[in-house]
Amino acid sequence: MATVTTVTRALPALPEGWSAEKDFKPISSITASTQRTIEPVGPHFLAHARRARHKRTFSEDDRIQAQETAKNIEKDDESDESEPEDPMMLQREAKDWKSQDHYQVLGLSKYRWKATEDQIKRAHRKKVLKHHPDKKAAQGSTEDDNFFKCIQKATEVLLDPVKRRQFDSVDERADVDPPTRKEAAKGNYYKLWSRVFKSEARFSKQQPVPSFGDENSTKEEVDNFYNFWYNFDSWRSFEYLDEDVPDDNENRDQKRHMERKNANARKKKKAEDNARLRKMLDDCSAGDERIKKFRQEANAAKNKKRLDKENAEKQAKEEARLKKEAEEKAAKEAEEKAKADREANKKAKEAAKNAVKKNKRVLRGSVKDANYFAAGDASAAQIDAVLNDVELVQGKIDPDEIAALAGKLNGLKVADEIKGVWSEEVKRLIGAGKLKEGDAKNLV
Amino acid sequence: MAETGGSKAGVAPSDRCAIGISFGNSYSSIACTSEDSPVVIANEDGDRQIPTILSYVEGEEYTGNQAKALLVRNPNNTVVSFKDFLGQDFPSIDPTHCHAAAHPQDVNGTVSFTIQDKAEGDASTLSVSEISTRYLRRLVQSASDYLGKKVTSAVVTAPTNFTEKQRESLIKAANDADLEILQLINEPIASVLAYDARPEAKLEDKIVVVADLGGTRSDVAVVASRGGLYTILATAHDYEFSGVQLDKVLMDHFAKEFMKKNANVDPRENAKSLAKLKAESEAVKKALSLGANANFSVESLADGIDFQLTINRLRYETIGRKVFEGFNRLVEGVIKKAELDVLDIDEVILSGGTSHTPRIASNFRSIFPATTVIQAPSTSATAINPSELQARGAALQASLIQEYESEDIDQSTHPAVTTVKHITNAIGVISLSDDGEEVFTPIIAPETAAPARRTIHIAAPKDGGNVLVKVVEGGTHIKVTKPEPKAKENGTKEEGAEDEDDSDFDSDEEEEEHREKVWKIGTTLAEAGIKDVKKGGKIEVTINVAGDLAVTITTREVGGKGGVRGTLKAA
């Protein structure tokens, strides 16, 4: 403990004759102690833990801590004044403040948008001490306060959060250019791109911004990253690049015209910026091995499914085709068969017809052979009547019977026998009810 | 106690946004630090004490006071008082406080609640861990909304009697809510830290009694604060004397008054009436902590009858006397348990919502000697709001350790670091009082954790010369001085009214009894001689006790050179 308690009660005087080696006389040790747990809470415990873990004594720890704090202060001082001033910059005209790099003017080039308010204030103070016009006058140089004005302007812009954002929006020197294909191909793709996105992230309204990650990032992280960036909500605006609006009351129309023009220009630039970011993201994702990997993995899974499905479909189609072919073949065969049948039928019919004709000729021939059952020359009427009856009988019986009848009549030459066959046939037909009694009486 | 998060890795110290959470049975608080001073965060309803209640209506989730209001209409889907159930088996929990809300159930030995938490479908069975996760998620959300960035980590307070298993399940519940637990700290220590971190606080060696009087339980701890290192000497836990008991007293009072006017209607018979009675009684209790009178007013308390009544603080203190005395006994008991006397106590810190009650603070005032500081809103103007103490302490601790790797935190809180020897007796030097008597002057107080280092400046004899520095151990004892005869004379004067005043007289006599803490000189450890001290000079004595109890004594004249240095070996 660094604190010291003061006690006003006096110490006793040394008794006479007291003596000890080096004036110190150890007598005994601490008599009692308890093992207890101290609560790991509070700044003093942290100090205790530090001492215990590094096995330092009180005085060692005090010394080390003191050294560390001292070092920190030194480092702070160092970091502030390390930027050399560009002689060109010192020549700047204050009225061109719009084109000046405020961070460079204050010597904060390496911090830029990361510079804290405190850093800006300190940098300003440092620069003012150095460049104050009164000091320059004291050194005997001309009264040139242009750079001093630049410093004041830079501080004014950077300490006003609204103006600082406007300036940061157009601070191209803070941009990190996306790597070219060649650079990215060299292997440090993730490092280069993550640097780009880290710099772009300064425009995000939403903080923190998901990091770009590396080749081991999970799909979720990568998706999250790209989703965030494709829906990037940026505060970047381009007021800083506005053309000056004339501030007189003389020409209102012109003023309005300028304002409109500026607003349009801002809008256009914003759109361009969005397009730029989008293109950058497209470029980045196009070269992103992780996306390819994830897509391949997803595709592999999907393809497997698709292939299975396709195979199944193909098989089904093949089967259907085979079936159809078989059916067609069967149909064709059946047709051919039917055709053949038809032809055979036709032939048979014709043959039958011919046979009937032949048989009919036989029948007619038989009555002719029998001389129409007339004795002597048959009269025309007799012939006619007999032939009519033959026709009648022929009409009443079917081809088979005709054939049978023809079979019976064939070869018979004797008129009575022929007549017998005919009369028998007529009788049979009358018996069967096909002929009426009295029909074909010429044949009986 | 050596437990920390660590199970949830992946939050780098630079990405951390840490808060302090006091997760209580009845109320919880969240706090952050802004420019090194703790700020308690109000949730979206504007409450800094957020009731630890989760309620579901038609799939909509409510917490805090919104959920508390739903206890009247929607008790079955409202979970209260679930924090103590974390990591406990069903047989070992006390479900009393859940009586008027969702009832805990036994699902394979773990405590669960059946809650209709979706607009449609069946009710789901949620474990107490899941309930805690959901509640913590809401707390974190409130803090994130306030801070404007995602809260990743927290220091959470836990009662000292939380078992290892309970701590683990608390950490797990928090991790499930995407919250890294940097450390679990003991509730009384968080309160002490909140007081010690005030810019005006001085670093002193003191014994502090922390009385954490909550809604459903009261915990009292005796803490030795030695150079900013805290050691718990004794604890007591009580589930009988707490805020709900005071609510109960008021509920019974109002119910009886109500029944005087409406003979056959008991608002305690009907669940809805009981819930209304309880809610309003709690509001009355809080109002009585601030004002001398409070109005109890409930529309349609029971059977559609409105009820209104005014109660004053005196009445409340009379009917609640039993509970108030319970708090006194609790505090006295724990001091005895620590083998200390009320005279040893330098400070009493009241924390927890019930501590707002002025009567409790004034009771403690009368127990402890006048030198003891009672840190309560009604006795000390500079007291911190007792309800916010733990959250503030947790937030301070969070801001201290958030820049460390969780591995470092784990190692630092390891028992090898935290468990150390504490010296039983004080170490000091002998000085002379004004009457020339030898008096013990403490340099290192008893119960100081080793290693320790203390330095004092002590005056040399007026004439200077050679001085003896005699380092001794010291103990305390309580010296009781008998009442002075003068008191008796007073008594005899009032002899006329003796009969009535008899009891008063006795108690008067007792109060006259004077007790004081006296140092007793113990074993001599070492002697050192400083020679030729200037007139009116001062001697600096530094005592350094190493971890193994070896003692190094350095003594020299202030501003002088050289000096005497010697070492005592460990016993």
Side-chain angles (χ1 to χ4, degrees):
Chain A
M1 298 305 102
T3 49
V4 175
T5 332
T6 310
V7 179
T8 47
R9 271 197 306 254
L11 286 168
L14 200 63
E16 288 294 324
W18 189 92
S19 72
E21 192 187 339
K22 286 184 183 167
D23 291 341
F24 186 80
K25 202 192 275 177
I27 295 169
S28 71
S29 317
I30 289 178
T31 48
S33 70
T34 342
Q35 199 83 357
R36 289 188 198 271
T37 306
I38 41 178
E39 296 295 320
V41 168
H44 299 283
F45 173 78
L46 288 183
H48 166 79
R50 193 176 57 226
R51 290 190 297 261
R53 288 178 57 203
H54 297 110
K55 301 209 164 45
R56 296 179 193 158
T57 65
F58 281 100
S59 38
E60 272 169 11
D61 189 58
D62 285 351
R63 201 178 57 236
I64 292 166
Q65 286 302 108
Q67 267 171 2
E68 268 175 22
T69 42
K71 216 186 278 166
N72 282 344
I73 292 160
E74 254 169 40
K75 221 193 249 165
D76 252 18
D77 277 350
E78 252 173 38
S79 64
D80 279 347
E81 181 65 72
S82 57
E83 213 165 283
E85 286 169 337
D86 181 5
M88 286 298 282
M89 182 183 77
L90 296 177
Q91 299 299 315
R92 284 198 73 96
E93 289 287 325
K95 64 176 193 285
D96 298 335
W97 64 271
K98 271 238 161 177
S99 62
Q100 88 182 7
D101 178 357
H102 302 306
Y103 290 114
Q104 194 194 0
V105 167
L106 291 182
L108 293 168
S109 303
K110 64 175 174 186
Y111 296 109
R112 302 221 158 259
W113 55 276
K114 287 179 216 128
T116 62
E117 200 179 315
D118 187 47
Q119 272 174 324
I120 295 168
K121 277 184 192 157
R122 265 189 294 158
H124 172 237
R125 178 143 186 80
K126 207 151 248 180
K127 291 283 173 189
V128 164
L129 290 180
K130 193 166 168 192
H131 295 285
H132 198 278
D134 290 352
K135 286 206 172 162
K136 288 207 169 157
Q139 283 164 8
S141 61
T142 50
E143 227 176 84
D144 171 22
D145 59 353
N146 251 329
F147 188 66
F148 182 69
K149 279 184 186 156
C150 288
I151 296 170
Q152 297 299 63
K153 197 70 205 177
T155 317
E156 182 196 320
V157 170
L158 295 186
L159 283 184
D160 180 337
V162 177
K163 284 187 187 164
R164 186 169 176 199
R165 277 213 157 173
Q166 290 177 358
F167 176 68
D168 280 342
S169 288
V170 299
D171 184 11
E172 284 170 1
R173 295 173 195 83
D175 286 346
V176 176
D177 286 330
T180 59
R181 228 166 261 253
K182 229 183 197 171
E183 284 169 332
K186 273 182 195 159
N188 41 6
Y189 175 88
Y190 298 107
K191 207 169 133 199
L192 289 172
W193 273 108
S194 73
R195 223 182 279 155
V196 174
F197 284 109
K198 238 176 225 165
S199 113
E200 286 295 327
R202 70 186 194 269
F203 299 123
S204 178
K205 278 183 191 164
Q206 246 177 301
Q207 296 285 358
V209 175
S211 72
F212 186 63
D214 53 24
E215 64 271 19
N216 298 322
S217 302
T218 63
K219 182 168 189 314
E220 202 180 322
E221 281 165 355
V222 175
D223 283 351
N224 188 17
F225 172 83
Y226 281 106
N227 280 343
F228 179 89
W229 281 97
Y230 273 114
N231 301 313
F232 192 62
D233 192 5
S234 153
W235 51 256
R236 194 171 190 183
S237 65
F238 294 91
E239 285 99 334
Y240 198 81
L241 302 177
D242 281 357
E243 280 180 54
D244 282 338
V245 177
D247 200 20
D248 48 11
N249 298 330
E250 306 253 316
N251 198 339
R252 214 160 36 162
D253 286 339
Q254 206 213 335
K255 190 177 165 190
R256 288 193 181 155
H257 170 71
M258 287 303 292
E259 275 170 357
R260 249 197 321 276
K261 211 169 134 190
N262 277 336
N264 283 337
R266 273 181 226 162
K267 224 181 272 170
K268 198 176 152 206
K269 279 179 193 136
K270 181 87 182 164
E272 280 170 2
D273 184 53
N274 287 343
R276 176 192 63 87
L277 182 67
R278 195 152 271 271
K279 187 182 169 297
M280 200 171 83
L281 273 172
D282 288 342
D283 289 350
C284 176
S285 59
D288 196 333
E289 292 296 330
R290 297 173 300 183
I291 294 186
K292 276 183 205 154
K293 191 176 82 188
F294 297 140
R295 200 172 288 156
Q296 272 167 8
E297 280 166 7
N299 275 353
K302 214 160 69 188
N303 274 350
K304 195 168 167 276
K305 227 185 255 171
R306 207 194 61 213
L307 279 176
D308 286 351
K309 207 168 140 197
E310 271 178 6
N311 278 343
E313 260 172 28
K314 219 186 235 171
Q315 218 168 338
K317 230 184 230 172
E318 184 69 23
E319 271 171 17
R321 194 179 62 83
L322 285 176
K323 201 173 153 195
K324 203 172 158 199
E325 270 179 8
E327 270 170 10
E328 269 172 9
K329 206 171 156 194
K332 215 169 167 189
E333 274 172 4
E335 202 180 324
E336 271 170 10
K337 199 174 160 216
K339 205 170 157 194
D341 281 356
R342 253 193 331 269
E343 266 167 24
N345 266 354
K346 214 165 152 191
K347 262 183 204 164
K349 246 184 216 166
E350 256 166 35
K353 227 186 214 169
N354 287 342
V356 168
K357 255 184 208 163
K358 209 173 127 195
N359 288 339
K360 278 184 182 169
R361 243 189 342 259
V362 171
L363 295 189
R364 266 196 314 268
S366 71
V367 281
K368 193 184 165 194
D369 284 344
N371 201 16
Y372 308 107
F373 312 125
D377 288 340
S379 65
Q382 175 79 1
I383 294 166
D384 220 24
V386 171
L387 284 179
N388 268 348
D389 283 349
V390 169
E391 283 291 303
L392 183 74
V393 172
Q394 273 175 359
K396 291 298 175 188
I397 56 178
D398 57 32
D400 288 346
E401 283 165 329
I402 290 176
L405 189 57
K408 280 184 201 167
L409 289 171
N410 220 4
L412 289 184
K413 295 292 173 198
V414 185
D416 284 349
E417 281 173 359
I418 294 168
K419 179 121 185 194
V421 171
W422 276 110
S423 64
E424 205 177 304
E425 181 67 22
V426 170
K427 272 176 204 161
R428 188 182 64 86
L429 288 173
I430 288 167
K434 284 183 181 168
L435 281 179
K436 275 181 277 182
E437 197 76 30
D439 276 348
K441 57 188 183 294
N442 292 318
L443 297 177
V444 180
Chain B
M1 303 285 142
E3 48 277 309
T4 45
S7 47
K8 188 190 171 235
V11 186
S14 54
D15 300 336
R16 267 197 197 123
C17 173
I19 57 167
I21 297 179
S22 147
F23 182 31
N25 249 334
S26 320
Y27 287 87
S28 298
S29 291
I30 42 180
C32 62
T33 47
S34 106
E35 289 171 7
D36 291 340
S37 65
V39 180
V40 178
I41 300 170
N43 73 353
E44 52 277 15
D45 301 334
D47 298 320
R48 289 192 167 75
Q49 276 72 54
I50 305 160
T52 309
I53 300 177
L54 200 62
S55 184
Y56 286 91
V57 179
E58 287 168 4
E60 196 81 20
E61 188 183 74
Y62 296 93
T63 52
N65 273 328
Q66 293 184 12
K68 192 163 196 168
L70 289 168
L71 269 176
V72 177
R73 283 194 289 120
N74 183 32
N76 291 336
N77 290 325
T78 305
V79 191
V80 302
S81 235
F82 51 84
K83 175 249 196 170
D84 265 1
F85 299 162
L86 262 176
Q88 293 223 58
D89 297 334
F90 190 79
S92 56
I93 63 162
D94 168 21
T96 316
H97 301 295
C98 300
H99 185 70
H103 292 237
Q105 289 156 338
D106 185 3
V107 177
N108 304 328
T110 57
V111 185
S112 299
F113 297 88
T114 301
I115 300 294
Q116 181 73 47
D117 66 340
K118 291 183 216 82
E120 286 159 11
D122 292 335
S124 26
T125 303
L126 303 171
S127 68
V128 67
S129 170
E130 172 65 21
I131 298 270
S132 305
T133 300
R134 290 183 184 191
Y135 181 73
L136 285 171
R137 197 173 280 145
R138 292 288 296 259
L139 286 185
V140 169
Q141 188 53 45
S142 297
S144 299
D145 289 347
Y146 175 87
L147 292 167
K149 52 189 170 183
K150 176 100 182 61
V151 169
T152 58
S153 319
V155 169
V156 182
T157 61
T160 51
N161 66 341
F162 237 39
T163 60
E164 202 62 30
K165 197 176 160 209
Q166 285 180 295
R167 285 167 201 262
E168 271 164 27
S169 26
L170 176 55
I171 289 169
K172 189 182 164 294
N175 287 350
D176 289 347
D178 287 336
L179 184 70
E180 178 197 34
I181 298 288
L182 294 174
Q183 195 184 1
L184 289 182
I185 62 173
N186 284 327
E187 284 170 355
I189 304 302
S191 304
V192 178
L193 186 64
Y195 270 106
D196 277 357
R198 291 184 303 175
E200 67 269 24
K202 276 184 291 185
L203 189 64
E204 289 172 326
D205 289 350
K206 57 190 176 186
I207 302 269
V208 186
V209 170
V210 184
D212 177 8
L213 312 175
T216 57
R217 54 184 287 177
S218 294
D219 305 283
V220 187
V222 181
V223 180
S225 165
R226 298 284 181 248
L229 292 178
Y230 308 114
T231 308
I232 293 182
L233 301 179
T235 58
H237 308 282
D238 189 280
Y239 301 89
E240 297 303 318
F241 300 112
S242 58
V244 289
Q245 255 67 34
L246 291 169
D247 293 345
K248 186 92 191 2
V249 162
L250 283 171
M251 280 162 73
D252 286 340
H253 172 73
F254 290 124
K256 277 179 195 151
E257 291 293 323
F258 182 77
M259 285 167 76
K260 275 184 196 163
K261 289 179 187 159
N262 310 281
N264 294 320
V265 192
D266 188 346
R268 289 169 292 184
E269 305 273 285
N270 172 317
K272 209 164 193 175
S273 303
L274 187 69
K276 284 182 183 174
L277 183 66
K278 187 171 161 56
E280 186 67 8
S281 295
E282 196 185 334
V284 166
K285 180 183 74 173
K286 286 179 183 167
L288 282 174
S289 294
L290 297 172
N293 286 299
N295 198 13
F296 177 94
S297 161
V298 178
E299 274 181 29
S300 174
L301 178 57
D303 276 7
I305 306 165
D306 298 352
F307 185 59
Q308 192 172 6
L309 190 72
T310 307
I311 183 170
N312 65 18
R313 194 186 273 173
L314 201 64
R315 183 65 178 264
Y316 165 56
E317 287 171 357
T318 316
I319 57 175
R321 209 188 54 158
K322 251 181 153 174
V323 183
F324 293 136
E325 283 178 353
F327 291 135
N328 291 355
R329 286 201 300 278
L330 194 61
V331 169
E332 285 169 334
V334 73
I335 293 171
K336 199 175 275 174
K337 201 167 154 191
E339 295 168 7
L340 293 171
D341 191 86
V342 285
L343 290 170
D344 291 316
I345 310 298
D346 302 297
E347 193 173 329
V348 179
I349 293 176
L350 273 88
S351 94
T354 308
S355 302
H356 286 282
T357 314
R359 183 75 204 176
I360 297 174
S362 62
N363 279 350
F364 286 173
R365 180 73 278 170
S366 61
I367 295 176
F368 290 100
T371 46
T372 306
V373 184
I374 309 274
Q375 300 282 19
S378 61
T379 50
S380 161
T382 55
I384 302 171
N385 182 352
S387 307
E388 295 182 350
L389 277 174
Q390 292 176 6
R392 280 167 175 249
L396 285 164
Q397 179 67 6
S399 75
L400 284 175
I401 61 172
Q402 64 178 343
E403 65 215 42
Y404 292 93
E405 298 285 347
S406 50
E407 211 174 281
D408 279 348
I409 300 172
D410 273 351
Q411 283 178 11
S412 297
T413 52
H414 192 270
V417 177
T418 58
T419 308
V420 295
K421 284 182 173 154
H422 287 60
I423 59 168
T424 309
N425 296 319
I427 299 175
V429 291
I430 287 181
S431 61
L432 296 176
S433 70
D434 295 338
D435 349 329
E437 271 179 72
E438 284 195 342
V439 185
F440 177 80
T441 302
I443 297 176
I444 303 186
E447 297 302 348
T448 298
R453 181 181 58 172
R454 295 288 187 282
T455 305
I456 63 162
H457 286 175
I458 186 160
K462 274 184 197 135
D463 309 329
N466 296 347
V467 178
L468 172 70
V469 179
K470 191 172 174 188
V471 180
V472 292
E473 284 192 330
T476 58
H477 71 115
I478 305 299
K479 190 169 136 195
V480 181
T481 320
K482 286 277 172 248
E484 289 169 24
K486 196 181 159 198
K488 263 194 179 153
E489 279 167 27
N490 277 346
T492 44
K493 270 182 196 167
E494 287 168 16
E495 213 160 5
E498 191 181 22
D499 285 351
E500 293 146 46
D501 289 345
D502 202 21
S503 58
D504 281 354
F505 175 68
D506 279 348
S507 66
D508 269 357
E509 195 176 40
E510 259 172 25
E511 274 172 36
E512 294 285 340
E513 188 181 78
H514 187 67
R515 307 171 80 234
E516 70 185 322
K517 189 165 86 165
V518 183
W519 286 106
K520 208 169 55 186
I521 298 168
T523 332
T524 306
L525 294 178
E527 286 178 348
I530 306 283
K531 287 179 181 150
D532 303 326
V533 178
K534 273 184 243 135
K535 207 173 166 182
K538 275 186 178 168
I539 307 293
E540 181 186 272
V541 183
T542 301
I543 298 183
N544 199 336
V545 181
D548 59 357
L549 296 186
V551 182
T552 309
I553 299 162
T554 318
T555 170
R556 64 187 173 99
E557 186 185 353
V558 175
K561 279 180 190 164
V564 178
R565 185 189 167 90
T567 308
L568 306 176
K569 282 200 198 77

